[in-house]
């Protein structure tokens, strides 16, 4: 059996063969946990997605994503990201300087999970710059940001 190399319009390459009419694109995901106000969560729950632009803390993340061409690049679509609504739970330990809650308290914070994909062939220094800008903009003392190993996204042929 021979292995075909499939490349998307974005130059992401997978060493795996296409799956029929489905092509594969190798990407890494960046998942960021970002605090927002309860009002923003309520507005999102009511279907008012524009509330994300009105949330000052979240707008700083949007600015980072907009200024990072490799983040969310899907060719004819750019700045593509997904948002999930949730809650972050934590206990603030002595020595911390929390943006939310108090030392010794167990807190629950309205939090968005933002996922953006970056082509797996993006140079590490460029990925590092994007991650650095996210960390610099993040309002938490200890931001929670995940960077995945490369994996395949599927797309139409």
């Amino acid at each position: 059996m021979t292995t075909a190399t499939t490349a998307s319009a974005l130059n992401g390459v997978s060493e795996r063969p296409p799956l029929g009419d489905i092509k594969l694109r190798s990407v890494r995901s960046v998942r960021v946990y970002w605090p927002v106000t309860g009002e923003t969560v309520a507005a999102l729950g009511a279907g008012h997605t524009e509330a994300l632009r009105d949330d000052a803390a979240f707008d700083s993340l949007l600015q980072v994503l907009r200024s990072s061409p490799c983040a969310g690049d899907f060719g004819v679509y750019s700045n593509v990201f997904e948002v999930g609504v949730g809650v972050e739970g934590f206990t603030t330990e002595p020595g911390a300087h929390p943006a939310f809650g108090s030392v010794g308290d167990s807190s629950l914070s309205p939090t968005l999970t933002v996922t953006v994909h970056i082509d797996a062939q993006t140079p590490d220094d460029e990925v590092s710059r994007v991650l650095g800008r996210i960390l610099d903009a993040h309002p938490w003392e200890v931001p929670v940001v995940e960077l995945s190993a490369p994996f395949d996204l599927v797309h139409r042929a």
Side-chain angles (χ1 to χ4, degrees):
M1 174 180 220
T2 60
T3 301
T5 299
T6 304
S8 76
L10 302 172
N11 297 320
V13 176
S14 174
E15 295 301 321
R16 296 185 41 198
L19 304 170
D21 290 338
I22 303 296
K23 290 188 178 184
L24 305 174
R25 175 181 176 215
S26 186
V27 299
R28 297 171 86 177
S29 71
V30 176
R31 183 171 296 144
V32 182
Y33 297 83
W34 203 274
V36 292
T37 66
E39 292 79 14
T40 298
V41 170
L44 289 172
H48 303 293
T49 57
E50 289 298 315
L52 291 177
R53 289 192 176 104
D54 296 333
D55 188 291
F58 190 75
D59 188 59
S60 62
L61 176 60
L62 289 178
Q63 289 177 33
V64 169
L65 297 178
R66 280 188 223 115
S67 68
S68 305
C70 68
D73 179 10
F74 279 71
V76 296
Y77 292 90
S78 60
N79 304 120
V80 176
F81 62 92
E82 295 81 33
V83 176
V85 177
V87 174
E88 179 89 11
F90 58 92
T91 300
T92 307
E93 298 295 331
H97 303 285
F100 179 83
S102 301
V103 172
D105 288 349
S106 292
S107 299
L108 297 172
S109 170
T111 302
L112 301 181
T113 303
V114 181
T115 304
V116 62
H117 295 96
I118 297 177
D119 194 282
Q121 292 188 350
T122 302
D124 286 346
D125 61 334
E126 190 172 348
V127 174
S128 181
R129 279 192 297 275
V130 172
L131 294 172
R133 288 195 300 261
I134 290 170
L135 292 173
D136 288 346
H138 204 291
W140 285 345
E141 181 176 22
V142 181
V144 179
V145 179
E146 300 170 6
L147 176 64
S148 77
F151 64 93
D152 290 333
L153 285 180
V154 300
H155 65 94
R156 294 184 179 109

